[in-house]
Amino acid sequence: MFERRLYFHVDWLLLGAVYLLCAIGVVMIYSASGGARLYLTQLAAIALGTVALLVCLGIDYRSLADRSHLLYGFLVLLLVYVLIFGVVRGGGRRWIALPLFNLQPSEFMKIGLALVLARLFGDSRNRTPNARDLAIGGALTALPLLLIARQPDLGTAATLVPVLLAVAFVAGMRLKVAGILLAVAVVAAPIVWTVGLQDYQKGRVLTFVNPSRDPLGAGYQQIQARITVGAGGLWGKGFMKGTQGQQGFLPVAHNDFIFSVLAEEHGFIGVLAVLGLYAFVVLRTIETARLARDRLGTFLVVGALASFTFQVFYNVSMSAGLAPVKGLTLPLMSYGGSSVIASLAGIGLVLNVRMRRFTN
Amino acid sequence: MAGPPAIDRRTAAIRLTVLSAVVVAAFCALAVAFWYFQVVENATYRRMAENNHLRKLSLRAPRGVLFDRDGTLLVENRDAFTISILREHSADLDQTIHRLSAAAGVDELQVRETIRRHRGEPSYRPIVVIDDATLAQVSAVLARRLDYELPGVVVERVPTRRYPSVGLGAHVLGYVGEIGEAQMAADGLRSGSVVGQSGIEKAYNKMLMGVDGERRVKVNSVGREITTLDEVPASEGQRVRLTIDYDLQRAAEEAFHGLGYEGAAVILDPRSGEVLALVSLPAYDPNDFATGIDRATWSQLNTDRLRPLQNRAIQGRYSPGSTFKVVVAVAALEEGVITPDFTVTCRGGGTFFGRFFKCHLKGGHGTVDLRHAIEKSCNTYFYTIGNMVGVDRINKWATALGLTGRTGVDLPNESESLVPSTAWKKARTGEKWYAGETISVAIGQGQVSVTPMALASLYAAVGNGGIHYPPRLLRATNDGGGWKGVEPPAPQGVRLKPETIAALHDGLWLVVNGAGTGGRARVAGRDVSGKTGTAQVISLQGGKAAAGRTEMDLRDHGWFAFFAPRDNPEIAGVVFAEHGEHGASAAAPIARHVIETYFAKKAGLKPYPVFTPPAVPAAPAAARPVPPAGIADR
């Protein structure tokens, strides 16, 4: 299945950027956890992620897409299983206990959704997706979204929406339709607010708007995140020298706030370097979408890219106190096995499409 | 599968370009935001980060130690523990308060109230919720001092005032307390500072306070100290030596307790104005204030009818009664109105301006000259010469001898003593002075009202022949570089004519050593000279008689003012026995004990005399209830 010539078409630059980000992540986890053994777990996750990447790379994406409904169905079942038998941690039932680490199916759902949506829109005979395509896509997105939201994990659930939107957009969805969807969202927002959101979720949003509303609770994290970033300065305080991350002012520094730790210890220069790497990964991926030899490839790359980009952007904003605090990881860098493995698997798909752009 | 139609490819390419643009714009926006936070606003956030983990802890300076004139320790410091809450690090304040209250066994509501009172302060400043915690409380809290059980709870050791004499000389020493709002603004001191609120503690607060130190520490996110970065140690306040003689002070208070009187006493060294003893009873225990007085004790001290917080020696104003007669005598002699040989015949009183004024001796004293008029305290004689001199000249000489206004003693809130004059009455009431009023003034009644301190100063002046020194309590200070004596004050007053001095001294000597009223103050070989007096209560407060006052409350006050020895006196003073009825029976024995102790100490005779009530005890001693807040009941 892995023809020799394909090897020369692997995007080594993208792969290099990705593993550089992983490495920086490991270093920052080491620092943020004060040298604890967490970084070893992360290294193990990266190793497993590499296996996932190779698998996603090796099998022709068209074969993968053909079986995407099976993967999608399996993941939905896992999500249902998690809701019933999952491990409860930090107020959410999100994990399936595995020997090495806990598996978080919602992370993998992003890949599954990207595949199934790419197939849906790629197979469509219509030049632009019609209402039926959009309805099916919407339903395919809504099912896992609702399951994840039930955990409750609104953050991860929300990352599925960009997948649908990005794929539909690139597939040529009429802008008028996009406008209508936007209008519906605006109208729906107050309804979601009153009916759909739990009190703690409302609290987070309110606190984001006004952090001093609850300076010791949810607002605390936001204020501390901003302080952490701002205190970094141009050059940063140096490796392991950040006071905010090191002394527990910033909660879950090694996880959701890994970027804040980077900003504190390596300053604006470090931020620019890592943002540059992420931008490179994203732009390179968009280029891959453009180069793909078929619609399926384009949509698959865009779908894999969408949740990744959304999460990077959201997490970095949150790191500087620019977005409400949500349990959203920074792909590739944050501590968390499932996140790293799923992210690397997604990268594998992107590489897959790119290296097969010349094959038939 | 065939390739997609060309038009479709173009749409996708355009839209991918749009996506690229959006991504680039978004990343640029993020970069700009980080640049703003990290580079432009860096200083602000760095300071906030430092506030997060760097803490300045104030190290309270121990207040200066106080000694008596011989070096006996009067006030020192001990270590007390306070338990505070740092709200900044107490994520769940309610929970922390609840757990802390349970651990330390204190009233949770009271802790909440304390926190509420300080809620306006910055959250990084610890709020003391338990003053002077017991060792049991401290260990109970420390045992639970896990970051997650009692976050933001801090135990600190603070130097705290200790008054080993427990109430002795309470009104001299005063007490300390947390600084008030007004004081904070006036003296530029920090909230939570402990300052003198009364007595010497207040008068010399600046000197005694010292300079607080500061320790900069690194803390973690729950406020636990990690390391000390640097420390500026606190420097102790200056050590102060008072003019008070502990032995005399104790002798005076013991004598009061022995007779069962409240009241006041001021003992001076007439040669310098140094205050050797200052008594005001009932007293309080300054230790109660040292770590913040509890509400019950405070309100009890404030509502006590006997007013234990008032320093009677400098704030109580009373009619001087017959002790005032020396002023009238000085005025008459110095103005040349009479000579010491001027005589008046007393038939139990005299008629002035159509009204009969009684002498205290019904049958009258017969014909008396000045010396014997003083000895016998003949009212008729002083009515007569007072009338001849007139109120304004009495006022003039009272002022010359320092009896009016404030003496200037170095204690806060001294009251002004008053000797009336025509101008004073005009200004006060707009009415003219009636000559008849002078008759009452001549025997120290009517409008005359003086503090024990002023009267003591007057008798020091009379003993000195007119010269006196403003009373003072500060003898020497030591800021670490050895003891430095305090500049003696400049003499005040006027030198009286020798014949005036001789006549007064003779008369006052006779009061004690002759057939006068002061026999109970006699000390063999010490030539005690003095004068008894009675301050009428019923005439002043007659209207209040019905208002729940006991018979005791309506009894007159007894005075005894003195100096000794008659020539070149070394000790002078006044004893004021509240509701003692007569100076002779109530105040003179107390004065005698003090004088005796003074000379015994001077001669190096130990042990000092023990106070024994006079053989015929004054009636009130038995009837008097136990003083509620005095030392007697400790």
Side-chain angles (χ1 to χ4, degrees):
Chain A
M1 68 181 183
F2 199 102
E3 294 167 55
R4 215 182 116 71
R5 63 188 175 97
L6 287 178
Y7 176 82
F8 298 101
H9 300 299
V10 168
D11 188 351
W12 295 107
L13 267 181
L14 178 63
L15 205 57
V18 163
Y19 277 95
L20 192 52
L21 284 170
C22 285
I24 294 171
V26 170
V27 171
M28 292 329 298
I29 288 166
Y30 181 83
S31 173
S33 59
R37 300 174 62 85
L38 289 176
Y39 74 100
L40 290 176
T41 316
Q42 182 77 352
L43 282 174
I46 292 170
L48 276 176
T50 305
V51 173
L53 181 142
L54 290 173
V55 169
C56 289
L57 183 72
I59 307 167
D60 191 319
Y61 65 92
R62 280 160 292 203
S63 319
L64 279 175
D66 283 343
R67 292 170 184 81
S68 63
H69 57 283
L70 295 176
L71 180 64
Y72 178 87
F74 175 66
L75 286 170
V76 167
L77 283 180
L78 276 188
L79 285 176
V80 174
Y81 175 87
V82 158
L83 272 186
I84 302 167
F85 303 108
V87 179
V88 178
R89 221 176 348 142
R93 192 180 284 277
R94 297 174 195 169
W95 288 273
I96 296 172
L98 288 185
L100 186 57
F101 50 84
N102 294 330
L103 187 75
Q104 196 179 347
S106 51
E107 289 287 345
F108 296 93
M109 194 65 226
K110 299 168 195 167
I111 307 293
L113 184 67
L115 273 167
V116 80
L117 287 183
R119 185 184 171 195
L120 172 71
F121 289 103
D123 279 357
S124 173
R125 297 200 187 129
N126 309 303
R127 204 161 50 81
T128 60
N130 60 16
R132 187 177 152 273
D133 296 334
L134 284 178
I136 295 174
L140 286 171
T141 310
L143 176 63
L145 190 148
L146 290 175
L147 286 171
I148 297 168
R150 281 281 295 162
Q151 289 177 355
D153 183 359
L154 224 57
T156 308
T159 58
L160 298 183
V161 176
V163 178
L164 173 66
L165 290 182
V167 173
F169 176 72
V170 175
M173 175 179 63
R174 293 230 177 93
L175 292 178
K176 202 198 282 173
V177 179
I180 290 168
L181 285 177
L182 195 69
V184 170
V186 169
V187 173
I191 301 169
V192 173
W193 177 261
T194 42
V195 184
L197 289 186
Q198 309 220 356
D199 278 345
Y200 86 96
Q201 292 163 335
K202 288 183 194 173
R204 279 191 177 178
V205 176
L206 285 177
T207 303
F208 169 67
V209 177
N210 177 19
S212 59
R213 174 180 163 267
D214 182 14
L216 289 175
Y220 172 84
Q221 301 182 5
Q222 203 178 322
I223 292 167
Q224 292 300 335
R226 174 75 58 80
I227 293 174
T228 308
V229 166
L234 185 61
W235 295 101
K237 294 178 177 173
F239 179 59
M240 303 274 299
K241 298 239 175 71
T243 53
Q244 289 283 108
Q246 299 290 339
Q247 285 154 26
F249 292 100
L250 200 56
V252 288
H254 59 279
N255 194 327
D256 296 353
F257 285 103
I258 195 77
F259 198 80
S260 304
V261 176
L262 170 95
E264 183 185 25
E265 299 194 350
H266 300 285
F268 183 58
I269 298 299
V271 166
L272 276 190
V274 171
L275 277 186
L277 281 172
Y278 275 113
F280 174 79
V281 168
V282 171
L283 293 175
R284 188 84 174 171
T285 308
I286 292 177
E287 194 202 342
T288 302
R290 198 197 312 274
L291 295 175
R293 65 172 297 279
D294 52 16
R295 279 158 45 102
L296 175 68
T298 302
F299 299 158
L300 180 56
V301 169
V302 168
L305 169 84
S307 59
F308 180 89
T309 312
F310 173 78
Q311 242 176 291
V312 168
F313 194 73
Y314 192 93
N315 182 280
V316 171
S317 303
M318 183 179 87
S319 300
L322 289 171
V325 176
K326 282 252 158 268
L328 270 189
T329 54
L330 180 61
L332 303 178
M333 278 180 65
S334 277
Y335 176 80
S338 303
S339 168
V340 166
I341 295 167
S343 300
L344 285 174
I347 297 295
L349 289 181
V350 174
L351 294 169
N352 188 338
V353 172
R354 189 181 179 104
M355 81 184 182
R356 289 192 170 82
R357 66 184 188 272
F358 305 118
T359 58
N360 256 321
Chain B
M1 205 194 302
I7 179 131
D8 190 36
R9 258 218 180 283
R10 221 181 60 206
T11 309
I14 291 169
R15 293 201 170 184
L16 283 171
T17 309
V18 170
L19 276 187
S20 301
V22 168
V23 166
V24 169
F27 274 93
C28 286
L30 278 181
V32 169
F34 274 82
W35 174 78
Y36 180 75
F37 295 145
Q38 298 197 274
V39 180
V40 179
E41 291 286 292
N42 175 240
T44 310
Y45 289 116
R46 194 162 41 191
R47 200 175 57 243
M48 287 169 84
E50 270 169 21
N51 284 346
N52 257 350
H53 71 101
L54 289 187
R55 183 118 309 122
K56 285 180 187 166
L57 299 178
S58 170
L59 298 175
R60 188 182 291 166
R63 288 176 73 84
V65 176
L66 293 175
F67 301 95
D68 90 334
R69 63 187 298 118
D70 304 319
T72 305
L73 185 79
L74 296 179
V75 187
E76 59 181 345
N77 298 296
R78 66 183 170 88
D79 276 336
F81 291 96
T82 61
I83 299 177
S84 323
I85 291 183
L86 258 172
R87 283 165 302 164
E88 184 183 42
H89 293 301
S90 195
D92 188 344
L93 189 59
D94 263 359
Q95 183 74 270
T96 304
I97 292 174
H98 179 71
R99 285 187 181 149
L100 176 62
S101 309
V106 293
D107 183 12
E108 194 175 325
L109 287 176
Q110 208 161 335
V111 174
R112 277 180 206 287
E113 167 62 22
T114 308
I115 300 278
R116 202 191 54 76
R117 233 177 323 134
H118 293 269
R119 68 188 178 285
E121 292 175 13
S123 64
Y124 58 78
R125 187 173 293 158
I127 299 175
V128 176
V129 291
I130 304 176
D131 280 305
D132 202 10
T134 63
L135 280 179
Q137 286 173 321
V138 170
S139 51
V141 168
L142 288 182
R144 284 170 185 76
R145 213 180 132 185
L146 303 166
D147 287 357
Y148 296 100
E149 209 173 335
L150 287 175
V153 172
V154 188
V155 177
E156 281 175 299
R157 206 171 58 177
V158 288
T160 301
R161 272 311 211 200
R162 200 170 89 84
Y163 304 82
S165 54
V166 193
L168 194 78
H171 292 90
V172 176
L173 305 175
Y175 54 85
V176 295
E178 202 169 303
I179 191 166
E181 299 277 335
Q183 234 171 326
M184 232 172 345
D187 298 350
L189 291 168
R190 232 200 342 260
S191 154
S193 297
V194 169
V195 295
Q197 302 282 16
S198 135
I200 287 291
E201 294 274 27
K202 180 173 183 180
Y204 293 106
N205 183 56
K206 269 217 171 97
M207 191 188 283
L208 290 170
M209 258 187 86
V211 182
D212 285 354
E214 193 176 73
R215 197 154 64 89
R216 290 201 313 142
V217 298
K218 233 177 183 169
V219 298
N220 66 7
S221 63
V222 284
R224 204 58 66 223
E225 286 173 30
I226 301 168
T227 47
T228 297
L229 296 177
D230 50 35
E231 181 171 334
V232 181
S235 58
E236 189 182 327
Q238 291 192 36
R239 301 185 150 222
V240 167
R241 191 170 276 197
L242 298 180
T243 59
I244 293 291
D245 183 323
Y246 178 80
D247 298 311
L248 286 196
Q249 179 78 27
R250 203 181 51 191
E253 295 198 18
E254 276 173 4
F256 267 96
H257 296 311
L259 284 180
Y261 288 117
E262 314 296 356
V266 176
I267 312 297
L268 302 171
D269 182 339
R271 297 166 298 185
S272 62
E274 292 185 341
V275 180
L276 302 178
L278 187 151
V279 177
S280 176
L281 293 172
Y284 52 85
D285 182 359
N287 288 302
D288 289 344
F289 294 83
T291 53
I293 192 160
D294 64 89
R295 211 170 299 179
T297 313
W298 176 244
S299 72
Q300 192 231 310
L301 284 173
N302 269 295
T303 55
D304 190 332
R305 208 161 47 80
L306 294 172
R307 307 186 62 192
L309 290 178
Q310 184 196 37
N311 186 349
R312 287 160 161 74
I314 61 165
Q315 293 169 332
R317 293 194 298 186
Y318 312 93
S319 295
S322 298
T323 60
F324 188 71
K325 285 171 181 168
V326 294
V327 177
V328 181
V330 166
L333 290 171
E334 290 292 310
E335 294 288 344
V337 174
I338 61 162
T339 66
D341 301 325
F342 176 78
T343 58
V344 169
T345 302
C346 168
R347 295 199 168 78
T351 304
F352 299 90
F353 309 104
R355 189 184 147 198
F356 184 74
F357 288 84
K358 277 193 296 185
C359 186
H360 60 85
L361 191 66
K362 237 183 190 163
H365 292 99
T367 300
V368 286
D369 66 359
L370 177 64
R371 288 177 166 84
H372 291 95
I374 293 174
E375 178 188 8
K376 301 281 172 50
S377 198
C378 174
N379 287 355
T380 313
Y381 188 92
F382 286 94
Y383 293 149
T384 308
I385 66 167
N387 188 35
M388 291 160 69
V389 176
V391 73
D392 283 336
R393 286 192 286 190
I394 294 175
N395 172 276
K396 172 187 161 190
W397 284 95
T399 304
L401 296 178
L403 189 61
T404 59
R406 297 191 178 91
T407 63
V409 66
D410 42 358
L411 285 176
N413 306 323
E414 186 187 1
S415 296
E416 288 188 27
S417 297
L418 174 73
V419 175
S421 66
T422 53
W424 169 82
K425 190 179 178 191
K426 188 82 189 164
R428 174 99 191 264
T429 64
E431 288 170 32
K432 76 187 254 303
W433 183 267
Y434 295 103
E437 295 178 75
T438 309
I439 309 305
S440 301
V441 169
I443 59 159
Q445 305 284 2
Q447 305 282 9
V448 189
S449 73
V450 300
T451 64
M453 178 59 82
L455 200 56
S457 184
L458 169 75
Y459 272 75
V462 170
N464 277 345
I467 300 299
H468 63 100
Y469 300 88
R472 62 196 169 95
L473 284 153
L474 194 67
R475 188 170 161 85
T477 61
N478 184 347
D479 58 5
W483 287 102
K484 280 196 266 306
V486 172
E487 277 293 300
Q492 299 181 341
V494 286
R495 181 141 293 284
L496 301 177
K497 291 190 272 190
E499 60 266 34
T500 305
I501 299 170
L504 289 178
H505 285 199
D506 286 350
L508 293 171
W509 185 84
L510 284 170
V511 169
V512 179
N513 301 287
T517 51
R520 280 183 175 145
R522 194 178 306 154
V523 179
R526 299 302 179 188
D527 285 337
V528 178
S529 310
K531 184 75 197 76
T532 59
T534 305
Q536 291 178 7
V537 170
I538 191 142
S539 64
L540 298 172
Q541 307 183 340
K544 296 176 190 167
R549 305 250 164 178
T550 63
E551 179 242 357
M552 181 75 199
D553 292 324
L554 301 174
R555 284 192 183 144
D556 294 340
H557 303 311
W559 287 104
F560 185 73
F562 67 92
F563 53 87
R566 174 179 61 180
D567 304 315
N568 301 317
E570 300 168 21
I571 177 169
V574 39
V575 173
F576 172 77
E578 211 165 272
H579 303 301
E581 282 197 294
H582 301 291
S585 56
I590 297 172
R592 178 184 192 277
H593 182 59
V594 174
I595 297 164
E596 224 177 11
T597 307
Y598 173 82
F599 285 109
K601 180 169 181 174
K602 190 186 171 196
L605 296 175
K606 272 202 172 183
Y608 302 133
V610 176
F611 180 75
T612 41
V616 186
R624 185 81 194 144
V626 177
I631 299 162
D633 52 346
R634 279 179 195 282

